[in-house]
Amino acid sequence: MNAAERVAVFGSLNIDLILQVPSLPRAGETIVARAVEQQFGGKGANQAVAAARQGASVVMVGAVGDDVHGENYRRCLEVEGIDVAPVRIIPGCPTG
């Protein structure tokens, strides 16, 4: 991809919870996770990061909550070189 190419991504910015379990639970069964991890996700944000890593000039359009996850998410995207100016911060809402 040419560094001069510009990409605008309209999409979701979510927090993924990843649970490491010994096996898939059966109906009604409760199992204990070995580990729990949080990662930034969302189809829109994932596409924005992929395009930026290929050299495109990327702007992300979406929304996050006014919580610590939203702040960290915006910072993470900025580190990837993505313009987050259009990412709205929604007061009183958690990040997806």
Side-chain angles (χ1 to χ4, degrees):
M1 185 174 287
N2 185 323
E5 292 191 38
R6 298 172 51 100
V7 175
V9 178
F10 294 76
S12 60
L13 299 101
N14 296 315
I15 303 298
D16 294 338
L17 296 176
I18 302 160
L19 305 171
Q20 185 183 62
V21 295
S23 62
L24 292 176
R26 295 183 177 139
E29 180 182 20
T30 299
I31 59 174
V32 177
R34 292 180 182 154
V36 179
E37 190 177 327
Q38 289 183 333
Q39 294 289 328
F40 297 117
K43 290 182 181 80
N46 291 344
Q47 290 177 356
V49 169
R53 288 181 179 177
Q54 292 299 312
S57 172
V58 180
V59 59
M60 180 73 209
V61 181
V64 294
D66 65 349
D67 56 5
V68 68
H69 294 300
E71 293 173 26
N72 290 339
Y73 211 142
R74 289 172 55 92
R75 236 186 329 265
C76 178
L77 293 175
E78 286 175 331
V79 166
E80 292 286 348
I82 297 168
D83 179 0
V84 295
V87 175
R88 279 187 58 200
I89 300 171
I90 309 297
C93 288
T95 299

